[in-house]
Amino acid sequence: MLERIKETVIKLVKSRMFIASIVFCVMFAILVQRVFYLQIVRGESYLNDYKLQIQKTREVQGTRGRILDRNGTVLADNVLAYSVTIEDNGDYDTTKQKNKELNATVRRVIDIIEKNGDSIINSFGIVLNDSGEYEFSTEGTARLRFIADIFGYATIDKLSEKQKNYTAADIIHYLCTDETYGYGINEDDYEKSDILKLVNIRYAISLNKYRKYIATTIATNVSDTTVAEIMENQEELTGVSIEESSIRQYNNSKYFASIIGYTGQISQDEYNALSEEEQESYSLTDIVGKAGIEKAMDSTLQGEKGETKIYVNNVGKVIDSEKVTEAKAGNDVYLSIDADLQIAAYNILEEKLAAILLSKMVNRLDYDTSKVTDADSIVIPVGDVYNAFFKNEIIDTSQFTQSDAGTAEKEVLETYSRREEDAISSVLSEMQNANGTAYQDLSDRMKAYMDYVVDTLLTDDSGILVEDRIDTSDETYLAWKEEETIGVNEYLNYAISQNWIDTSKLTDYLEGDASYSSASEIYQAIVQYVGEVLGDDGDFEKIIYEYMIKSGDISGNQVCCILYEQNILKYDETQYNRLRSSGSTAAYNFIRSKIESLEITPGELGLEPCTGSIVITDPSNGQVLAMVSYPGYDNNRLANTMDSDYYAQLNSMTSSPLYNKATQERTAPGSTYKPLVSIAGLTEEVISTGTTISCTGIFDKISPIARCWIYPGSHGSLNVVSAIQHSCNDFFYEVGYRLGTTGGEYNDAYGIERLQKYAEEFGLGDTTGLEITESQPQISDSDVVRSSIGQGTNNYTTSGLARYISAVANEGTVYNLSLFDKTTDVNGNLVKDYEPSVRNEVEGIANSTWTAVHNGMRRMVTNTSTFNSLGDFELYGKTGTAQQSTTHPNHGLFVGFTSGQDTNVAFAIRIANGYNSTYPSEIGRDIIRYYYGLDEEDEIVTGHAASLGTVVSGD
């Protein structure tokens, strides 16, 4: 028995099962011991310091390269700042719980940020208008792109018709309440401004919903107080952090914004437009160039990304990080721009515009330009100045309802409330009146109301009246639109009968199916819609204010006082009290003084003239030394993350600051075209340098006849040099006529073809090569006679005229214009030196032709009193005046170049609606005085409205 037991034990010990059992027991004992140690001995310690080893890799964008001028002056740089960020890293059981906790955190952070005087980023595509209603910050395709982003579509063509017609309020409601994608925000619990802030941040967070541990920036460049309070409450603010970040900063922004542009987060459209190779270098959270040089040179400025590994704890907070790959800074871009010249040219232009405004301003509230026969006689009533503060949203009417509103603000609000009620009531009454007043018999105020209701509200904004369905040859349509013999009731009811109305847009105002509604029911729905919308319509509000000012319901003194009450002007108690107690003359003089001192600028007012452009080049290489677009804007407020309210205001301003006047605005060149026509006429041998043509003031070889600007006078007998000097239209009419004559017969098409050839040769047929957006030019395609004085259908940008006149200056070399000088790496080592690029050489031009044209331009300068202060300085120039219409002032232009200097320049200057060419020629003169140091700087750039010389006859 013992022997058997012994054998069994020995066999058991030698078996694999025994060994496995022993190993298992040992391991189990170790595990028990370890669990005992972790849970009992060190349990509390590990509970307090528990770390989930969740490792993520985060991309780190390289520091963006700087932008500098040709002399090394920094125009765009990066500064370190504190930012408040939030990450959606919570662990939620339900969507409802997520929304509740995330909304609570966001609201708490907003309160902290705003309490300490900082502001949250407003990059959402919806803003509040002056009436406190939601509206899109952009229109057209940009609005549809925003809506597509909301619904998660890659392209706008995937939007349904219903989605395309969503209002801003519809989008907010969808994001607040949608069961799947909504943020769980009860709209009844908050003011609209608070809802917008919540939606703004929640939407920004949602863009990273598939990328946890990627932070969304809520506020940038916040104060130390905000930083401290966020840090103190960080345990309660899940996912909220303070990060040190690099933000873009633009120096002297308004002078350079039109060139440099700004940065912002890449959009889906921008990302989709990249090649597959480029997409590997970008992600949808990247900050990229959105306009100007920032966009054109984005890949150069971007640098290379780095990577950082991050570790988060059990509540999702980052507890440790380590760099895996260092980010590399982008290259620096040196522009060809001379910053000092750019700033001086901008200021000279602004001072001249202010002077023109003052010279044309009169102390009256209204002025009817439709009765003007001479564009030079158009004046600017001070009522238009007062109205500009409302029209361009310089005055914030939403402040009128605030508890701290000033005395004048309260007075104006009280009057406005009555006028708004009367306006809406009168509109609805007229619409309901079957025997309504014919449009032509309405008051100007009612015409403005009806125009807005029919053209804007029902057609452009809502699409209820479908423009594409309207038969513009229909008699009833013409009776409304042109003859003005019927009323709005008759017109809209006729539109219903002709199926010009989209009843699907009226479903909220119709009972039952719209397709079964009667014409009268549809019309009543339209009336109801108009009545409901007008009360909250910011643009209709502006029309009411306009006519309140014209009628004197709002006084100039009240407007001026509001400028102080809203801190648009620095508060001056003495002046404020004078305005409160004095008559209207005081307000007129007060406004004039503020324009004269440039405390109120032409760009803010947006009255004609309020814009201008200047392009200065080096004619020896095509580099641009200055490119001014007035007015400028603060691109700091659009960079990094866009200030949507500011962007919306810029878009609404009548001076259109975002529109580059130097590269995008086109007008006829006027007489600045005559040097080119001279070259064409001499080269085609329809005239010679010895040819004389007699100017009688009337050119009657075509019908209708054309007149010289000097009519009823005449220039007498002129050759090409004196014709350029005196800018004689008759001489150049004859040159155009001769260009169109073949075999003794006049053929306009033949003349146009010959003239177009020279316009093409001088680079006027395409954009100039600039690295930023340019509009396509238009060479005239009809009426060679009038085209020869720069009219016809000629339309060119200022940059295009600058390239053309540069080729005239250097006798035939047409360069591709460039804004670039060089790029260097972060250590200053040269990466690329930009060489001049020649588009073409103008061939076959005789030396005598160049001499004649230059002599004519030189004599234009030396025989004009405007340039007396230049003495013998070698400036060559040509003025130009281009007509827009009799109800708008003419455009004024001046082109020219210098000779005999160490560095010569060529330039083109345009003042849109600037009345005449004298004013841009004075700007050209003063720029030359500044650039070549002919006078003291403070005598040229004075900081207040410039003086105006005597207007010189001629164009």
Side-chain angles (χ1 to χ4, degrees):
M1 175 66 73
L2 290 174
E3 194 63 32
R4 286 180 178 178
I5 293 173
K6 182 178 179 182
E7 288 178 4
T8 301
V9 171
I10 292 172
K11 188 181 292 186
L12 180 64
V13 171
K14 289 182 178 181
S15 70
R16 291 180 180 180
M17 181 64 72
F18 179 80
I19 296 172
S21 299
I22 295 298
V23 171
F24 176 78
C25 290
V26 170
M27 291 180 68
F28 182 75
I30 294 172
L31 179 61
V32 170
Q33 185 271 339
R34 188 62 180 168
V35 169
F36 180 83
Y37 176 79
L38 291 175
Q39 293 189 352
I40 307 302
V41 178
R42 298 292 304 278
E44 184 176 356
S45 173
Y46 278 114
L47 181 63
N48 294 333
D49 195 30
Y50 175 52
K51 297 182 179 181
L52 283 174
Q53 293 301 303
I54 299 177
Q55 176 185 305
K56 296 288 180 181
T57 300
R58 176 185 291 175
E59 288 182 337
V60 180
Q61 204 163 359
T63 302
R64 197 169 179 84
R66 300 176 301 165
I67 301 175
L68 307 93
D69 86 332
R70 67 190 301 114
N71 300 312
T73 301
V74 179
L75 307 178
D77 204 351
N78 308 290
V79 295
L80 290 177
Y82 290 115
S83 297
V84 181
T85 65
I86 186 169
E87 300 175 16
D88 177 15
N89 54 20
D91 188 12
Y92 315 107
D93 293 328
T94 64
T95 300
K96 183 177 181 180
Q97 180 194 5
K98 170 186 174 178
N99 284 331
K100 181 178 180 181
E101 293 183 13
L102 201 50
N103 288 342
T105 301
V106 170
R107 290 202 310 270
R108 177 80 185 278
V109 174
I110 291 173
D111 290 342
I112 293 172
I113 291 169
E114 294 186 338
K115 180 182 68 176
N116 293 310
D118 296 315
S119 57
I120 66 167
I121 290 169
N122 181 13
S123 57
F124 196 53
I126 293 174
V127 296
L128 289 179
N129 61 24
D130 290 341
S131 302
E133 300 299 321
Y134 301 119
E135 69 176 17
F136 294 109
S137 61
T138 56
E139 289 300 329
T141 302
R143 178 183 67 84
L144 292 176
R145 178 62 262 175
F146 169 70
I147 295 175
D149 288 340
I150 293 292
F151 289 104
Y153 297 137
T155 57
I156 61 176
D157 59 352
K158 293 185 178 180
L159 288 167
S160 66
E161 282 302 311
K162 180 179 179 181
Q163 289 169 334
K164 287 180 180 178
N165 292 310
Y166 264 40
T167 65
D170 291 335
I171 294 292
I172 293 293
H173 182 70
Y174 167 80
L175 291 176
C176 286
T177 62
D178 186 79
E179 291 185 6
T180 305
Y181 302 106
Y183 306 144
I185 300 171
N186 189 330
E187 294 173 271
D188 295 330
D189 291 346
Y190 305 100
E191 297 289 335
K192 287 182 178 179
S193 58
D194 295 324
I195 293 172
L196 190 57
K197 292 171 190 174
L198 269 172
V199 170
N200 173 23
I201 294 176
R202 286 297 309 274
Y203 178 70
I205 294 171
S206 73
L207 295 177
N208 291 327
K209 61 186 174 183
Y210 299 118
R211 299 167 59 87
K212 274 203 170 188
Y213 313 110
I214 297 298
T216 298
T217 302
I218 297 177
T220 59
N221 201 20
V222 296
S223 65
D224 291 341
T225 309
T226 296
V227 172
E229 189 164 352
I230 294 287
M231 296 298 289
E232 288 171 7
N233 295 277
Q234 201 161 18
E235 291 299 321
E236 304 166 22
L237 300 173
T238 303
V240 178
S241 299
I242 295 293
E243 291 187 3
E244 194 176 67
S245 61
S246 175
I247 63 173
R248 203 63 160 164
Q249 177 177 284
Y250 301 109
N251 302 319
N252 293 311
S253 58
K254 69 177 181 179
Y255 302 108
F256 302 98
S258 61
I259 300 173
I260 293 175
Y262 52 91
T263 61
Q265 187 169 323
I266 191 171
S267 68
Q268 185 70 55
D269 276 354
E270 289 168 328
Y271 183 78
N272 293 342
L274 298 172
S275 67
E276 290 185 10
E277 182 180 351
E278 289 173 324
Q279 286 182 356
E280 293 178 3
S281 302
Y282 289 87
S283 65
L284 286 169
T285 58
D286 285 350
I287 297 296
V288 299
K290 307 290 280 189
I293 297 298
E294 291 279 28
K295 181 177 181 179
M297 295 294 284
D298 188 71
S299 59
T300 300
L301 294 164
Q302 274 286 347
E304 296 181 17
K305 293 179 180 177
E307 289 187 348
T308 297
K309 286 184 179 178
I310 61 171
Y311 301 90
V312 296
N313 64 12
N314 61 318
V315 292
K317 284 188 169 58
V318 176
I319 56 173
D320 195 11
S321 65
E322 59 178 281
K323 290 184 179 178
V324 178
T325 307
E326 288 280 355
K328 294 182 180 179
N331 291 332
D332 291 339
V333 174
Y334 285 76
L335 303 181
S336 59
I337 295 294
D338 181 324
D340 292 337
L341 177 61
Q342 175 86 5
I343 293 170
Y346 182 101
N347 287 330
I348 290 169
L349 173 58
E350 181 173 65
E351 291 173 9
K352 191 65 63 176
L353 285 169
I356 300 170
L357 281 177
L358 291 172
S359 73
K360 297 295 181 178
M361 190 185 300
V362 294
N363 190 14
R364 54 191 295 183
L365 295 178
D366 198 7
Y367 179 71
D368 186 0
T369 58
S370 66
K371 298 178 181 179
V372 174
T373 57
D374 179 8
D376 284 341
S377 66
I378 294 173
V379 298
I380 302 170
V382 71
D384 285 0
V385 179
Y386 301 147
N387 181 53
F389 293 113
F390 293 90
K391 191 172 185 178
N392 292 312
E393 301 178 13
I394 299 167
I395 286 176
D396 183 359
T397 57
S398 67
Q399 293 297 314
F400 294 180
T401 59
Q402 301 302 309
S403 58
D404 59 348
T407 303
E409 290 177 301
K410 292 176 181 177
E411 291 171 350
V412 170
L413 176 62
E414 182 180 355
T415 306
Y416 172 80
S417 298
R418 294 196 303 270
R419 292 294 176 262
E420 180 191 40
E421 184 177 345
D422 291 344
I424 296 174
S425 175
S426 61
V427 166
L428 298 181
S429 176
E430 189 63 43
M431 292 182 72
Q432 293 281 28
N433 186 358
N435 299 312
T437 310
Y439 181 89
Q440 64 184 357
D441 297 326
L442 294 172
S443 67
D444 288 344
R445 187 193 299 253
M446 279 300 295
K447 285 180 180 178
Y449 293 164
M450 288 306 168
D451 286 344
Y452 183 76
V453 167
V454 175
D455 297 338
T456 302
L457 203 59
L458 295 179
T459 306
D460 296 340
D461 289 355
S462 67
I464 291 173
L465 185 56
V466 185
E467 192 169 10
D468 291 341
R469 295 184 188 177
I470 297 174
D471 178 2
T472 55
S473 63
D474 184 276
E475 289 184 4
T476 303
Y477 171 80
L478 293 174
W480 165 258
K481 196 69 176 177
E482 295 184 9
E483 298 165 12
E484 302 179 353
T485 55
I486 63 174
V488 67
N489 183 292
E490 181 177 349
Y491 173 62
L492 290 178
N493 272 294
Y494 184 78
I496 294 170
S497 71
Q498 297 299 303
N499 196 33
W500 296 349
I501 300 295
D502 184 353
T503 56
S504 68
K505 306 289 178 65
L506 296 167
T507 52
D508 291 341
Y509 304 92
L510 291 168
E511 293 184 9
D513 191 333
S515 60
Y516 295 102
S517 298
S518 67
S520 62
E521 289 172 333
I522 293 171
Y523 188 74
Q524 290 307 313
I526 292 174
V527 174
Q528 184 181 348
Y529 168 79
V530 170
E532 182 176 305
V533 172
L534 284 184
D536 295 320
D537 192 289
D539 289 331
F540 187 67
E541 175 188 276
K542 291 179 182 179
I543 298 174
I544 297 174
Y545 275 117
E546 177 184 353
Y547 281 91
M548 287 174 66
I549 290 169
K550 287 182 176 182
S551 64
D553 289 338
I554 300 175
S555 71
N557 293 66
Q558 288 174 316
V559 174
C560 295
C561 286
I562 291 172
L563 298 179
Y564 279 131
E565 291 174 355
Q566 294 197 356
N567 295 314
I568 296 163
L569 296 175
K570 185 178 180 181
Y571 187 72
D572 181 331
E573 184 176 3
T574 302
Q575 185 65 67
Y576 178 83
N577 290 332
R578 286 176 181 168
L579 288 165
R580 291 291 302 159
S581 61
S582 58
S584 61
T585 302
Y588 174 71
N589 292 333
F590 173 82
I591 280 293
R592 289 186 64 89
S593 71
K594 296 305 178 185
I595 295 173
E596 200 280 335
S597 65
L598 298 179
E599 292 172 79
I600 297 170
T601 67
E604 290 174 314
L605 295 175
L607 303 171
E608 295 176 346
C610 63
T611 65
S613 54
I614 301 168
V615 177
I616 304 172
T617 69
D618 182 341
S620 69
N621 59 22
Q623 285 193 333
V624 177
L625 304 178
M627 189 169 70
V628 173
S629 174
Y630 182 88
Y633 60 94
D634 185 1
N635 48 352
N636 286 297
R637 297 180 65 179
L638 304 183
N640 307 302
T641 48
M642 182 176 288
D643 181 339
S644 293
D645 289 321
Y646 181 60
Y647 184 74
Q649 182 186 11
L650 292 177
N651 274 320
S652 70
M653 292 179 69
T654 52
S655 59
S656 303
L658 293 173
Y659 186 67
N660 191 323
K661 312 304 187 300
T663 64
Q664 293 178 281
E665 183 179 57
R666 304 182 310 162
T667 70
S671 294
T672 63
Y673 206 59
K674 289 174 180 175
L676 183 148
V677 179
S678 300
I679 293 169
L682 289 166
T683 306
E684 293 294 314
E685 298 183 348
V686 299
I687 59 170
S688 69
T689 55
T691 299
T692 59
I693 296 173
S694 179
C695 168
T696 63
I698 294 179
F699 187 78
D700 58 4
K701 292 183 180 181
I702 59 171
S703 180
I705 63 172
R707 290 187 174 91
C708 187
W709 64 264
I710 202 172
Y711 180 84
S714 64
H715 285 113
S717 184
L718 300 170
N719 62 18
V720 69
V721 173
S722 54
I724 294 174
Q725 173 192 340
H726 295 290
S727 198
C728 175
N729 287 352
D730 266 14
F731 184 96
F732 289 99
Y733 289 147
E734 178 63 26
V735 173
Y737 189 84
R738 293 184 184 185
L739 286 170
T741 301
T742 177
E745 296 292 329
Y746 173 70
N747 184 324
D748 186 69
Y750 175 68
I752 282 292
E753 183 180 343
R754 297 174 84 183
L755 190 54
Q756 284 178 335
K757 181 180 75 171
Y758 289 88
E760 289 281 359
E761 282 287 287
F762 279 91
L764 291 172
D766 54 23
T767 54
T768 69
L770 286 169
E771 294 83 2
I772 61 178
T773 302
E774 289 186 275
S775 296
Q776 284 289 339
Q778 180 180 348
I779 299 175
S780 186
D781 57 4
S782 63
D783 196 346
V784 67
V785 170
R786 289 182 174 82
S787 297
S788 295
I789 66 163
Q791 297 293 333
T793 57
N794 283 308
N795 269 298
Y796 306 114
T797 62
T798 308
S799 55
L801 293 176
R803 177 164 73 168
Y804 142 62
I805 210 64
S806 295
V808 172
N810 64 37
E811 300 189 357
T813 303
V814 182
Y815 285 99
N816 289 314
L817 299 187
S818 177
L819 289 162
F820 294 146
D821 183 21
K822 63 182 178 180
T823 57
T824 66
D825 64 19
V826 69
N827 297 314
N829 299 312
L830 182 67
V831 174
K832 182 176 181 180
D833 199 2
Y834 291 86
E835 297 293 332
S837 171
V838 176
R839 175 188 183 270
N840 67 280
E841 297 281 353
V842 182
E843 303 288 349
I845 312 299
N847 290 335
S848 59
T849 295
W850 291 119
T851 300
V853 170
H854 287 188
N855 285 344
M857 296 178 70
R858 178 65 180 144
R859 283 171 58 173
M860 179 264 147
V861 170
T862 56
N863 289 275
T864 304
S865 60
T866 299
F867 303 97
N868 288 345
S869 61
L870 297 182
D872 295 329
F873 185 89
E874 285 193 56
L875 175 65
Y876 299 71
K878 184 69 197 79
T879 55
T881 303
Q883 187 180 52
Q884 178 175 337
S885 72
T886 57
T887 59
H888 295 274
N890 296 329
H891 306 303
L893 302 99
F894 182 59
V895 299
F897 57 90
T898 63
S899 180
Q901 312 302 314
D902 291 338
T903 301
N904 289 309
V905 299
F907 55 83
I909 301 167
R910 180 190 347 247
I911 301 179
N913 306 115
Y915 286 88
N916 58 69
S917 58
T918 296
Y919 304 136
S921 64
E922 290 177 349
I923 291 171
R925 174 203 64 198
D926 292 342
I927 288 173
I928 295 303
R929 289 169 61 208
Y930 170 85
Y931 187 66
Y932 291 101
L934 303 181
D935 288 294
E936 294 297 323
E937 182 177 343
D938 58 5
E939 293 180 9
I940 303 167
V941 183
T942 62
H944 54 76
S947 59
L948 295 178
T950 303
V951 173
V952 179
S953 298
D955 64 351

